[in-house]
Amino acid sequence: MKSLRLHKMHKVELLYVDNDKRILDQKKYEIEYTLYTEGTVKGEQSLSGAISQNKAFQKINYLMESIIHKSIVYTPTQIPLMEKFFSDYDNNFLVLPDLSEATLLESLHSKLNALAGETTFVDFINMKDSSQNIGYSYINDDMDYDLPADNYW
């Protein structure tokens, strides 16, 4: 099978609120995703596939640049604290089940695929922690996630 994959990298800064360590931890990441659409190489569906891929590309870039970047990251147990201390700020809030990089990547993979549509997919996400020079890759071919139910977080 032939496929054409589009790669995009975003620089993202997040502020983690870690109650266990009692710190605010600013993280600088370079997050790259790969986007592909079925039928974009050749054939009758190439035009509709390209349009689908372009729509997904724009939605995902908006999410990464305007919503995720500069967000404050915390867990559901911290919601009352965040509402009390950060509600007057213009940052977006990103609530995750826990503060691990694995959860961030899995959550982003799930969200980006939800935005991408039915024939366009994000197959992997790479994330580099710029301050520690550590890289992570997340690949999920079957789109089966280990995230809690929506009402949890």
Side-chain angles (χ1 to χ4, degrees), residues 22-110:
R22 308 273 314 146
I23 61 170
L24 299 176
D25 191 11
Q26 184 178 10
K27 303 259 184 162
K28 294 183 180 183
Y29 296 118
E30 294 176 3
I31 299 175
E32 177 189 22
Y33 66 90
T34 300
L35 188 68
Y36 78 95
T37 301
E38 295 172 344
T40 56
V41 178
K42 288 185 179 179
E44 296 176 10
Q45 297 180 340
S46 64
L47 179 60
S48 65
I51 291 170
S52 174
Q53 189 174 56
N54 287 338
K55 286 179 181 178
F57 182 72
Q58 293 300 322
K59 288 189 266 184
I60 291 170
N61 288 337
Y62 178 80
L63 174 77
M64 296 299 292
E65 295 167 1
S66 300
I67 297 174
I68 301 295
H69 182 56
K70 301 268 186 185
S71 286
I72 299 171
V73 183
Y74 56 93
T75 62
T77 59
Q78 298 169 295
I79 289 174
L81 180 69
M82 296 301 101
E83 289 174 346
K84 181 178 178 182
F85 291 108
F86 289 108
S87 63
D88 291 337
Y89 293 88
D90 289 333
N91 297 71
N92 289 315
F93 295 143
L94 181 59
V95 181
L96 296 174
D98 62 65
L99 300 179
S100 71
E101 284 81 4
T103 300
L104 174 62
L105 283 170
E106 186 172 18
S107 299
L108 282 175
H109 193 273
S110 174

